[in-house]
Amino acid sequence: RSWTIEMGFLGQLTPSYVPLSGLVPDNVSMTIQPGQVVNGSISFLGKTAAVASATPLDASVDASRTADVINAVANVVRIAEGGVTIAGPSYALEWSVNTTNSLREQTAIGVMGLVGVGKGKFRVTGRLSFYFEDVTLYNKLVNNTETSISTVLAKNNQAYVIQLPRIKLSGGSPTPGGSDQDVVLEMDYTAIKDTATTGKTMLMDRF
């Protein structure tokens, strides 16, 4: 599915508008860290940008959303690994999720912009970080044991449930920072399609 997104430069003496068409979401990322708002971003790959115009596509501009941001202090209801809520002493320090649709540009002679956007494989990777207080997760890493991770984010009677039902841990080890510093277990992971139950690589529900 593709979208048209219009940029409006309303601070100009005569406001101008530039529509971008054929935009397909490519990379989506989210990071949860202590004491921070939950950060996310989306990047698009599009076909064309039209010449600037003084007339917008819509008669009126959509109002900005008024919902509050979600933070990693009061609004993370649950983070679970292997179906079990992560709790002390091995508290979670970071969870990042990065997805890509592996899009590619399709160009052609005599065409300004793209003739199309090629779609590739959907991939999900990320990073996990915990206080290294027991060896459970480390042993899963060393033994190449599959696990899962999920979170529930909620605020003002609205919630997101994000699930990666099947992941492989990789590229991590306990990191002793130095004297008077905590030992942290940092690991990368790759999500794999859950063929047994959900048939999905990643699930995201909004309530």
Side-chain angles (χ1 to χ4, degrees), residues 2 111 116 124 158 174:
S2 64
V111 176
V124 182
Q158 295 179 317

Side-chain angles (χ1 to χ4, degrees), residues 120-188:
K121 291 181 179 179
F122 177 67
R123 294 181 172 89
V124 182
T125 58
R127 189 167 182 81
L128 299 167
S129 178
F130 304 89
Y131 287 112
F132 188 52
E133 296 292 341
D134 66 60
V135 298
T136 303
L137 273 172
Y138 178 71
N139 285 342
K140 288 183 179 181
L141 169 65
V142 174
N143 294 325
N144 198 30
T145 302
E146 294 180 3
T147 186
S148 63
I149 190 161
S150 63
T151 188
V152 179
L153 310 173
K155 187 166 187 175
N156 298 336
N157 297 317
Q158 295 179 317
Y160 289 92
V161 180
I162 302 169
Q163 302 177 70
L164 303 178
R166 186 183 176 200
I167 66 171
K168 283 275 193 179
L169 303 171
S170 63
S173 64
T175 306
S179 178
D180 301 321
Q181 294 185 18
D182 296 302
V183 180
V184 174
L185 177 61
E186 298 177 333
M187 298 173 292
D188 299 320

Side-chain angles (χ1 to χ4, degrees), residues 31-40 69-72:
T31 302
I32 304 175
Q33 293 178 311
Q36 305 289 325
V37 298
V38 177
N39 291 307
V69 297
I70 293 174
N71 67 65

